[in-house]
Amino acid sequence: MTEGIAELSSLIVPFEGGAGDVVDWATVESAYGTVFPSDYKEFVRLFGHGTIEGRIATLIPVVTSDPMVRRVAPLPNRLKSNPDYQRWSEHRAEAGGLDRILVWGETDSADVLGWITGGPDPDAWPLAVWARDDAAWTAYSCGMVGFLVRLLRGEFGRCPISDTSLVGVPHARFLHDREEERLAEEGVYPWDD
């Protein structure tokens, strides 16, 4: 376990039930045409496809042609061609184009979280966040796990997402999608507090 994932594991606790997903990385990486960052692979193994406090949804790569399956995917063409998604913050030079964004998450505030792919080392891919409140993309020089650690610890000078409720949360809950579906079938909605 890397230092980053150990830090994140101290900040996020599974809500209840099991967490984590088993992914055939060789098959997935062959289908996606890219290797995924190692911190993300550890996150998927420990937590997987679900939500953090009902605020941030984390996605996993799935090999399917079904457009209804929520999964890691390139930024949809409808967003890439939408003028509202073209604006970058002052870090535009390091960001690259929207064609290079691979989405790994989203927020309940309609923010988009992804990697800026293209470099030879996926562990060095910067993150891109489109925050609805700013209506702009911002690039961050950290991986997915580092981003979540910094967010939960409140280490960003300004919250990088539109919802500030996760900033400085010492013990955020993670709920895997399969557990959330099971609870919903029982009429339990865990994020309604």
Side-chain angles (χ1 to χ4, degrees):
M1 184 181 296
T2 65
E3 182 179 326
I5 200 72
E7 283 182 74
L8 188 61
S9 294
S10 74
L11 297 168
I12 297 179
V13 292
F15 188 84
E16 60 180 66
D21 285 294
V22 175
V23 172
D24 179 345
W25 289 107
T27 299
V28 162
E29 291 173 340
S30 176
Y32 275 73
T34 190
V35 174
F36 283 82
S38 57
D39 69 326
Y40 172 72
K41 290 178 181 181
E42 288 187 76
F43 179 90
V44 169
R45 181 179 61 79
L46 291 175
F47 297 103
H49 185 196
T51 58
I52 300 168
E53 287 296 329
R55 303 281 187 240
I56 294 178
T58 59
L59 307 171
I60 63 170
V62 177
V63 180
T64 181
S65 58
D66 183 349
M68 299 308 292
V69 174
R70 290 182 62 223
R71 65 188 180 280
V72 168
L75 194 64
N77 287 331
R78 65 181 168 74
L79 295 185
K80 287 191 282 192
S81 62
N82 183 333
D84 293 339
Y85 284 82
Q86 303 299 312
R87 196 166 81 78
W88 285 84
S89 69
E90 68 278 2
H91 303 293
R92 168 84 175 155
E94 62 185 88
L98 297 182
D99 287 335
R100 292 177 42 207
I101 294 177
L102 187 60
V103 178
W104 60 260
E106 56 203 18
T107 72
D108 67 334
S109 300
D111 300 336
V112 179
L113 311 168
W115 297 284
I116 302 170
T117 65
D121 179 7
D123 291 333
W125 290 345
L127 243 62
V129 175
W130 188 86
R132 179 187 47 93
D133 283 357
D134 295 334
W137 290 96
T138 302
Y140 294 93
S141 297
C142 60
M144 178 244 206
V145 168
F147 177 83
L148 292 173
V149 166
R150 289 176 65 191
L151 175 68
L152 293 171
R153 287 200 172 155
E155 294 176 350
F156 287 103
R158 182 173 183 272
C159 184
I161 60 175
S162 299
D163 180 349
T164 61
S165 66
L166 291 177
V167 175
V169 173
H171 298 289
R173 297 169 296 167
F174 181 87
L175 183 60
H176 195 282
D177 274 6
R178 67 180 165 259
E179 183 64 14
E180 188 165 8
E181 287 174 19
R182 185 190 69 74
L183 291 171
E185 288 174 7
E186 296 175 5
V188 177
Y189 299 95
W191 305 124
D192 293 341
D193 328 82

